[in-house]
């Protein structure tokens, strides 16, 4: 009895779906899943250009390439330039004080807190990539 009921629901849904004229388009376009898609040119970094934040607490975007940066449990190459006192030598923005506070205990430390170690969890390189889908987002304050 349950199977007949479920099949009738599926059939009714399929019949109602036939009348729709809008066709969904995937990111692959018309390329079938079992075929390779054309390799698209990657979008380039916009080095030297500062993009503005879209909301107040947005993590800053990374204004340089990071493809070969090593960030793992033992090493974090971001800190070579962005931790004190090296940020003065390289004239870079230092990691903020909030990155030196242990989230569990709330105490300040002399090193980057464990929860802030993997920079690319929050910070991403800026690029000139177009939106994949249209949206109506507008930055706060505008």
């Amino acid at each position: 009895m349950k199977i007949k009921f479920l099949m009738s629901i599926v059939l009714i849904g399929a019949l109602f779906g036939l009348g729709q004229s809008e066709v969904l388009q995937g990111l692959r376009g018309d390329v079938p899943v079992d075929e390779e898609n054309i390799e698209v040119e990657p979008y380039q970094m916009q080095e030297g250009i500062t993009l503005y934040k879209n909301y107040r607490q947005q993590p800053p975007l990374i204004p340089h390439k990071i493809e070969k940066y090593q960030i793992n449990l033992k090493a974090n190459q971001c800190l070579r330039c962005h931790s004190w006192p090296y940020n003065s030598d390289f004239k870079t923005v230092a990691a903020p004080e909030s990155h030196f506070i242990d989230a569990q205990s709330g105490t300040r430390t002399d090193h980057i807190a464990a929860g802030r170690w993997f920079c690319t969890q929050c910070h991403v390189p800026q690029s000139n990539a177009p939106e994949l889908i249209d949206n109506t987002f507008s930055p706060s304050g505008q």
Side-chain angles (χ1 to χ4, degrees):
M1 183 67 180
K2 286 183 182 179
I3 294 176
K4 285 184 181 179
F5 176 73
L6 288 174
M7 288 178 63
S8 63
I9 295 294
V10 170
L11 183 60
I12 291 170
L15 289 173
F16 280 112
L18 289 176
Q20 295 179 353
S21 61
E22 185 178 331
V23 176
L24 294 177
Q25 183 70 31
L27 294 176
R28 292 180 56 85
D30 295 328
V31 179
V33 175
D34 59 346
E35 292 181 22
E36 280 192 34
N37 205 349
I38 302 167
E39 189 172 329
V40 179
E41 280 293 314
Y43 292 96
Q44 300 299 312
M45 285 288 308
Q46 292 180 304
E47 288 195 44
I49 297 171
T50 302
L51 298 180
Y52 296 98
K53 293 183 177 185
N54 290 311
Y55 53 93
R56 223 172 51 137
Q57 297 298 326
Q58 176 183 338
L61 297 172
I62 302 169
H64 55 79
K65 294 179 181 178
I66 61 167
E67 286 97 22
K68 297 183 182 181
Y69 277 35
Q70 182 179 10
I71 302 174
N72 58 36
L73 291 174
K74 295 182 181 184
N76 181 332
Q77 285 187 293
C78 300
L79 299 178
R80 288 178 35 202
C81 298
H82 293 284
S83 66
W84 185 86
Y86 308 113
N87 68 301
S88 297
D89 298 340
F90 292 103
K91 295 179 177 45
T92 59
V93 176
E97 289 297 316
S98 62
H99 288 43
F100 293 87
I101 299 173
D102 182 78
Q104 291 180 339
S105 66
T107 57
R108 292 187 184 276
T109 63
D110 290 337
H111 55 277
I112 295 288
R116 305 288 189 140
W117 183 257
F118 294 97
C119 305
T120 52
Q121 286 182 134
C122 301
H123 303 278
V124 296
Q126 56 191 11
S127 73
N128 63 348
E131 298 170 351
L132 291 176
I133 58 171
D134 291 333
N135 69 66
T136 58
F137 177 82
S138 63
S140 60
Q142 291 186 359

